[in-house]
Structure formats: C-alpha cells, structure tokens
Amino acid sequence: MKSIEAYIQANKTRFINELIDLLKIPSVSADSAYANDVLKTAEAIKSRLEEAGCDLVEITPTDGHPIVYGEKIIDTNLPTVLVYGHYDVQPADPIELWDSPPFEPIIKSTELHPDGAIFARGACDDKGQMYMHVKALEFMVSQNELPCNVKFMIEGEEEVGSVNLAKYVAENKTKLSNDIILISDTGMIANDVPSITTGLRGLSYVEVEVTGPNRDLHSGLYGGAVANPINILTKMIASLHDENNHITIPGFYGKVEELSSAERAQMAKAPFSLDAYKEALNIEAVYGEKGYSTNERNSIRPTLDVNGIWGGYTGEGAKTVIASKAYAKISMRLVPNQDWKEITQLFKTHFETIAPKGVTVNVTPHHGGQGYVTPINTVAYQAASNAYETTFGQTPIPQRSGGSIPIVSLFEEELGSKTILMGFGLDSDAIHSPNEHFGIWNYLKGIETIPYFYKYFTDLKQ
Amino acid sequence: MKSIEAYIQANKTRFINELIDLLKIPSVSADSAYANDVLKTAEAIKSRLEEAGCDLVEITPTDGHPIVYGEKIIDTNLPTVLVYGHYDVQPADPIELWDSPPFEPIIKSTELHPDGAIFARGACDDKGQMYMHVKALEFMVSQNELPCNVKFMIEGEEEVGSVNLAKYVAENKTKLSNDIILISDTGMIANDVPSITTGLRGLSYVEVEVTGPNRDLHSGLYGGAVANPINILTKMIASLHDENNHITIPGFYGKVEELSSAERAQMAKAPFSLDAYKEALNIEAVYGEKGYSTNERNSIRPTLDVNGIWGGYTGEGAKTVIASKAYAKISMRLVPNQDWKEITQLFKTHFETIAPKGVTVNVTPHHGGQGYVTPINTVAYQAASNAYETTFGQTPIPQRSGGSIPIVSLFEEELGSKTILMGFGLDSDAIHSPNEHFGIWNYLKGIETIPYFYKYFTDLKQ
C-alpha cells in the first residue's frame, strides 16, 4: 500500500486547507451562543464524509447538538470499523492568552513541530484528529484500498460530557454494530516514540454554590460577624485533600484499581524527564499525591481539581463587600472500577456534610463518565501496533492516559465492542489551552497510518 | 431655632429632587470607565455649594478624582467646622440583584422606612448623608442661623481608599484649619435609638495572585501531577483562620486594643436582637471569632475577609482545565493601635511564606487606613449629643462601628483636630450592596439636626 505516501504528497495542501476551513467555525458546545456554529460544523462534516466516499450520511438532531453518522458498506461479510470523533471544541478563553485568534488558524513552526503546526482551537482536539479518518477514507475509497466496511459517528457534545450520545447509541445499536471502534482523540509520547493509549480516566464534574447572607454585605459593618461564603468555600475545598494530597471524601478510594508493582515498573519504563516536564511548564516543583510518580499521578490515580472559582467583586480596584454567594466548578478524574455516579453522590453528600451552619450549599452534577482499559492481547491492538510499526518504524508503547472519553465504556456496554485509541497528538499541543495546535507532520502521519490499521485488522480477522 | 422644621416642610420636595439628581450620575470611582461621571458629579457639588451660600468654591484636580472645597467664613474669631464627605460611590454590581436600576433613583416604602426611602447606589453612602450638610448650610445661611464658620471638603476617592487626599490635606493645612471635623458617613442603631459613632476600624486591602504552570492545562493530562493554583489558593486562604476563627498571621494581634470587661459590658447594653439579625440576613447561625459577641466581632475585633475570588473557567457549562493563575481580593478590618502598613507587610510576608513549591505568589497592597476612636468627654461630642437629644428627644448611644473611614486618623495627624461622626443611616440601608437606599425621614432628620450641632458647638466653645 505504498501509494498512500504518494497520495498524501499529491494532496497535502488540500488536506491542510480543508482542516483549516473546519477550524474557522467556532463550534464551542459549552456556550449556547455558538449553537449555530456547532450546527454549521455538523453540516460541513456531512459534506466532507459524502465527498470522501460514504454512501449514506445523515445528521441526527438530539436534545443538544446533532450527531453526524456516515457509512460505506462494501460487503456485510467483511468486518466493520466504527470511527468515533467529535466536531465540537472547548471554549477558547482566556482569549487574551492566545498569540493569534483561536478561530483564525495559522501555521507556525515550533521546536517539536519543525514542519509547522496549525494553531487554532480544536486543531488537535478533535477536529484535526477526527478529520484524519475522513481523509484516510478518501484515500482508501478513491484508490480501491478499502478492505472492510466503515461507519462514522461524529458528535458535537464531547466537550460537555456527550450528554445525548448515550440515548442515540442505545436507540441505534443495529446501525452502529461493528467489530471494533476506532478513535483518535488522545496523544502519543513523542513523534519518535509512538504509543497507543490503553487506559482512560473517568470523570465526575460538579458545580458547587455556597450561599451565606441573603444579600451582599458591607465588609466593615458585617465583617467578622457572619460566615463569608468565599472564606467558607475556600475552607471546604481545602479540606478535600489531606497533607499527603489524598482526597478526603469518605469512600472515594473504595474501588480504586491498585496496580501491581510489576505493572508500575512497566509504566516507569516509558521515557520521561521530570526536568524537561518542569521546564516546559516553568514550575519549580511538581505537586501531587504522596507515594506516586508524576506519570502515575496523572494516569492511574484519581484526582480532584477546581476548574473554576468565582464570587464577590472581581473587577478593577477594590470593593469592600461580603458576597452573598460563592461558586466553584470541580472535576474529579477517576480510574477504572470507580463508578462516576457513585463518586458524584459521595462528593455531594460529603460537601453538604462539611458545610458549617450559617451557609447553605448546593451541589449540581454537570456530567461524568467511567474510566476504561483496553486489553492489548487482541487482534485490534495487534493491528494498530503493526500499523504504527509500518509507518513509524518502531513498535508503539502501550500507555495509560489521564484524560477521559466517557463514551468509550458506554460503547462497550451498549455495542459490546472494544475501542482502539490511536492518538497522534502530543501533550504539548495545548489542547483545552490557549494556542492549541496540531503538528502537520502528525496530521499527515495519522492519515498515512490509519489505512494500515484497516488492512491489518481485516487480514487478522479473516 | 424652631424655624428649621418649617423650612424643611416648605422645601422638602426640592431637597429630595436635588438629591435624586445627584444620584443619577454614576460616580463609580473604582472603575475608570466612569471617570467622566465622577467629574460631572464634582461639578454638580460645586454648584450646589455655591447655591447654598458658600463664598468660595473650587474644584482641585488630583492624580485621581478631584476634590471639591467650599467655605463660608463669617468671622475669623468664631469657631470653624470642617465638613468632610465623598461624592463617589461603590460599583453597583452585581447589577442583576438590583430591583431597580442603581442610577435611576426611585422612592419606595419599607418596613423600617414607612415614609419612603430613596433607592439608588450612593443614596446613603455618601451622597445622601453628605448632601444633608449642604442643605443644612442653605438653611443656616438663608435664615441667618449660621453661628460660625464652615468649610467643606468633599472628595471623589473615598471608596478607593482616598489615595490622593492625604497629599491635598498636607498641602492645604491652613486652608483646612478648623476646630472640629464633622462627618456623616456612618449609621445609627435605629430611628428610635439614635447613636453617635465613636470608633472606626482600620483597613488593609490587598490583592493576591497565585501562578502555577505557565499556561492553562488539560485537567485530564495534568490533573493530580501539578499544583493547581486554585486549589492552592483555597488552601492558603483557608489557613489564614484557625479552628476558633482567630487569624493566623504571625504578629497580627500584637497591637490589638483589648477592651476592659467594663467597656465590653457597656457595649453589651446597646439594644440588639440576635434573632432579628439572623432573620434579616436569612442565616441559620452567626459565625466568627470564638469568645466574642456579634457586636464585638464587627466593631472591636479585627477581621480578614475575602471580598472577591476568581480563576479558571467561570462561564456556562464545563471546561476541564487547570488554570495558570488564580486571584483573590482580601481585606482586613483593623482596630485602634493596629498600623495598617505594618499589617499589610505582615500579610504579604506570611502569604508568600505559606506558598508551596510549584506556585509563585504575588501580593499587591491596594490601600488602607488606621482605625480611630473619638473621645466622648469633649465639647464637640457634647454638642452632637445635645443636637440629637433636641431633634430625636433622647440621648444618643456612643457606638463603635465596624466600618472604616481611613481619612479620619489622617485628619488628626495633619490638622490636629478631632472628628465627630454624626450618621443618620441604618445598617439595613444596604450600602455597598444591591438596592442601597436612604430613608427620607432620616435624610430630613439629618438636615434638621445638623444646625443644632453648629449652634451648641459654637455656644460651648465661647
């Protein structure tokens, strides 16, 4: 299948420009102000799937943002690959920290991306990685290299917890039936150290509201005499970790999967420089749960982070006020066996319990999802591994990721199929951050590698 | 001087409408967007002082907002009263909690103000209370009842710490020379329980910034492995109070004035209902420093309150991000003998000391001022007490206030004169809060009482 390299060379500029066009549409799913852009993006994906060779493409409305489904069935006796991806993106703020506008993509070279990277919100997560599959399909169909059936399910709510996807999947089990699910929404260790993500963390995301007095108060007349909701909120959040940075919510660690020392030793072999890590983030020291390494803390251990906090006067200058309310958005990353709904309930109960008299607390669950572990002794993993080996020249390392794709465990429950996570981005691509980017080399390498997965998977399944 | 009541009856509607006109100008000193409105307000005050009978009125520019000075000198052998007030107001946010637009004054009756109250930002603090003195002057001049000399110094930066007033006072000692300073920028216990404020708390207001990684990070990929600036900020703020709600900053209580049990017993006589207090704020319990009553906590004890906090994603929906920075505005109310500059330094040193490795901390002092205590065995206090007795029919109670007027102690240092705090507002007037208001009865009662102070003070000084 050497022709893939030639095909990419011949169509490279078009591939890049098509992605840039997609990135110009601000499909921010979390903010209803962008609802129309999200819809426009779904319509663009539909056209691109049709152009790439799908026989059937449809946009299915949901209670939130629509789902785009496409398929190319060549022979029902052949295996079927279901590609999942998402066309929605994270909010771009803080806007002021972007070096260029988040929805005006530009190409710049970086130390890790000497051939240039596309800078835009969604470049890597997940428009760029999702679109690799569309272009891989274009190649396979146009060059008669498609060895099996393929289905696409591209959603618009991944960044807000895939709230309507579960219903869609449950109602379309036959349509979505497949032999393997293929997703590119994770990363790899480095361009010269390919890796396949074999584990994902679960997620529980909540919003808390602490209410004290029924109105904002003058901090002179009332200061010291009433519970200040902001002070109380800081005390409550601070108490969620102990001096060893263990999470203090009763029962939180009850079902946490403990890895054997052998597994931990295996993990520790992945190339990692703590100095380079600290330098890249410009921090003097790392910080985390006692007894675990940095790579363990962000992959096999559960966490609790405040993602946002606000209350009182945050404008220019000074206002001597005691706010009536204070708020925080808090997310917990979970590991396999922790049930996100159970953890959300444990959090809610605990947080309400530790609220002192004088304030009332309201905990609102946002969304969540289960963790996931991919077995590596399967045909699908072998096919993916061989594909990387073919195009990267070396065997990829299996790696646990700290991120979450809540939908993966749901796919297994509803559709009974495993998922392979072939990621081509780098941790340094700043997904969810200002100046998100995706290396052009990585984008094209993904398009080159994916057809080999189809080939090897089909061969191995026969 | 019975004619004052008749004069007020005859001019009441005009007095109210003139105040309403002043309240329509949004003179928010903290926000530079309102700089022009602040200036317009200063010009309005100038005209009103001229109309009221001042011989000389001038607007003096400063590095910030201008100061309005006015005077009516009838005989240099007679005593001189210097009236201080401010024409700037607090920011109006949170706007959404106002029942009517903050700069479109309306009159509504309330349980405590059956004759109606004017609802607008600045109605009580301090446009309404400051303007009582202008109308009192109008009466005294027009009816030949002015017994002494009077000077006005009305500033536009009180709500941002009177940052440029000190320089002005130091440079104009002769012009501002006086026998007593008179200020209405405090409250009284109730319309049927007049009181005179004999103590003010000092203030130290700082802003803190906690910086972790050099950019916002994906909370899945980095969560648990790096110091999250928001989590760290909550831990640092929470640690500023111990389990008894004592402030933990080393040296913070070093110079705190400890009242004798006799003084505390005297204070405890002021009418106060804890149930009514809790009901008015709709809180189940009060909260504060162990070993002190509510009235002690908000008057004779120092405090530390977070006035604002922000960081990370605070928009609609969810964003799984670890912010690079987190911020808080923190103010400390100080009691007599605590030096605000020393306390600010103690805070800065302590806060920087408790920052863990992995974050950097930046503490920026906003402004501050010293506490103050008025002696009650003086001619001025006696004159004020007699004035209230004349118009309210009972002797006012001396009361410590939790609020701060940083400039008062500076006046004593620079001008060598004491200050009398004749406040006519109520704690429930919601100054610094949404729906601030000032009772029309209180407004007119102030105008009625002030001329008696001039009369008694001049008599007692002869």
Side-chain angles (χ1 to χ4, degrees), chain B residues 18-333:
Chain B
E18 287 178 9
L19 175 55
I20 284 174
D21 289 342
L22 273 185
L23 293 169
K24 287 178 179 169
I25 319 175
S27 50
V28 179
S29 50
D31 186 342
S32 49
Y34 294 96
N36 194 40
D37 296 298
V38 175
L39 184 58
K40 272 173 59 184
T41 312
E43 283 155 357
I45 301 296
K46 178 173 185 288
S47 317
R48 305 301 178 77
L49 284 170
E50 287 163 344
E51 292 155 17
C54 284
D55 302 324
L56 163 73
V57 186
E58 59 192 21
I59 295 181
T60 307
T62 71
D63 292 343
H65 301 300
I67 293 160
V68 184
Y69 172 83
E71 64 177 34
K72 174 77 176 178
I73 307 299
I74 58 175
D75 180 344
T76 52
N77 297 318
L78 287 169
T80 299
V81 175
L82 172 64
V83 174
Y84 163 83
H86 64 95
Y87 63 84
D88 64 319
V89 300
Q90 279 277 315
D93 48 310
I95 292 277
E96 66 276 11
L97 296 185
W98 284 76
D99 298 331
S100 58
F103 299 107
E104 295 171 28
I106 63 163
I107 295 174
K108 285 187 295 185
S109 296
T110 73
E111 192 184 340
L112 290 173
H113 299 297
D115 301 345
I118 304 176
F119 284 75
R121 167 58 82 227
C124 180
D125 178 16
D126 181 48
K127 283 175 176 171
Q129 294 216 79
M130 172 270 292
Y131 202 62
M132 297 182 307
H133 291 269
V134 181
K135 295 296 95 181
L137 176 71
E138 173 193 311
F139 161 74
M140 292 186 286
V141 172
S142 65
Q143 308 300 305
N144 283 314
E145 295 274 10
L146 182 64
C148 61
N149 306 307
V150 56
K151 298 174 178 177
F152 283 80
M153 174 171 59
I154 313 299
E155 74 155 317
E157 298 187 306
E158 198 272 345
E159 300 295 4
V160 290
S162 303
V163 277
N164 293 292
L165 192 63
K167 183 158 169 284
Y168 175 82
V169 171
E171 289 171 354
N172 294 277
K173 290 185 180 180
T174 316
K175 172 186 280 182
L176 299 171
S177 65
N178 64 81
D179 297 281
I180 189 67
I181 296 163
L182 185 58
I183 303 178
S184 296
D185 196 17
T186 51
M188 58 183 187
I189 294 170
N191 285 0
D192 56 357
V193 187
S195 59
I196 295 175
T197 301
T198 55
L200 292 166
R201 288 198 285 191
L203 178 71
S204 168
Y205 199 115
V206 300
E207 187 160 321
V208 301
E209 173 193 72
V210 174
T211 304
N214 54 359
R215 59 183 170 90
D216 287 4
L217 300 175
H218 183 294
S219 68
L221 301 184
Y222 292 90
V226 300
N228 176 329
I230 303 177
N231 288 66
I232 297 297
L233 178 61
T234 63
K235 266 197 185 309
M236 292 173 72
I237 291 173
S239 76
L240 297 175
H241 289 91
D242 68 15
E243 64 283 5
N244 295 321
N245 282 305
H246 294 305
I247 292 157
T248 58
I249 298 166
F252 184 84
Y253 292 101
K255 296 181 177 170
V256 165
E257 170 205 49
E258 294 290 347
L259 269 67
S260 68
S261 45
E263 287 172 293
R264 290 176 67 180
Q266 179 61 34
M267 274 189 70
K269 289 190 185 141
F272 176 75
S273 158
L274 189 58
D275 289 339
Y277 186 86
K278 288 189 290 185
E279 192 185 341
L281 301 175
N282 189 28
I283 52 177
E284 190 193 345
V286 292
Y287 186 93
E289 187 181 7
K290 192 173 180 185
Y292 294 91
S293 72
T294 291
N295 277 337
E296 291 172 334
R297 287 167 174 171
N298 65 22
S299 63
I300 62 169
R301 296 300 295 172
T303 66
L304 184 151
D305 274 297
V306 182
N307 302 111
I309 192 166
W310 69 102
Y313 182 68
T314 60
E316 186 185 349
K319 186 168 192 280
T320 49
V321 67
I322 292 174
S324 171
K325 289 173 182 290
Y327 308 83
K329 293 175 192 273
I330 299 173
S331 67
M332 290 159 282
R333 296 284 170 169

Side-chain angles (χ1 to χ4, degrees), chain A residues 165-167 169-170 370 406-416:
Chain A
L165 191 62
K167 184 158 169 284
V169 171
Q370 311 296 29
I407 208 65
V408 170
S409 54
L410 180 119
F411 288 155
E412 184 156 2
E413 288 162 31
E414 294 287 348
L415 305 176

